[in-house]
Amino acid sequence: MTTPAKSTAPAAAIPTARAPSPVVALSARDLNAQGGIFCPSPKADMKVWNTHPKVYLEIARTGEAKCPYCGTVYRLRDGEKVGHGH
């Protein structure tokens, strides 16, 4: 008689609430000439040694962008306008 094999599948994960994504308020002057910013950014108080690859985020068109790596949201402050050449 053989004994049944034990399952090595992980136990079902209990859903947990995710922490809200950090939001970084920007002025139009914080954007580069193309209307964007790079993440990780000193504006988000990130330590360079503990971050993800550098990603360019377009902000000027919609007023905000979310980093696909860390989830940080970069958003223009209320009333900020991005013009040509800032």
Side-chain angles (χ1 to χ4, degrees), residues 1-37:
M1 191 181 273
T2 61
T3 56
K6 290 186 179 182
S7 173
T8 58
I14 298 172
T16 58
R18 284 186 119 176
S21 297
V23 176
V24 178
L26 301 170
S27 69
R29 297 180 115 181
D30 294 327
L31 305 181
N32 63 18
Q34 290 77 35
I37 195 164

Side-chain angles (χ1 to χ4, degrees), residues 9-69:
I14 298 172
T16 58
R18 284 186 119 176
S21 297
V23 176
V24 178
L26 301 170
S27 69
R29 297 180 115 181
D30 294 327
L31 305 181
N32 63 18
Q34 290 77 35
I37 195 164
F38 287 96
C39 187
S41 168
K43 296 280 181 190
D45 194 31
M46 295 177 180
K47 307 299 180 223
V48 174
W49 59 268
N50 192 21
T51 58
H52 54 72
K54 191 176 192 178
V55 178
Y56 179 75
L57 302 170
E58 166 65 44
I59 309 281
R61 194 171 331 131
T62 64
E64 75 175 46
K66 184 174 184 177
C67 176
Y69 284 104

Side-chain angles (χ1 to χ4, degrees), residues 61-79:
R61 194 171 331 131
T62 64
E64 75 175 46
K66 184 174 184 177
C67 176
Y69 284 104
C70 66
T72 299
V73 176
Y74 294 88
R75 182 178 298 147
L76 284 175
R77 289 186 182 103
D78 288 341

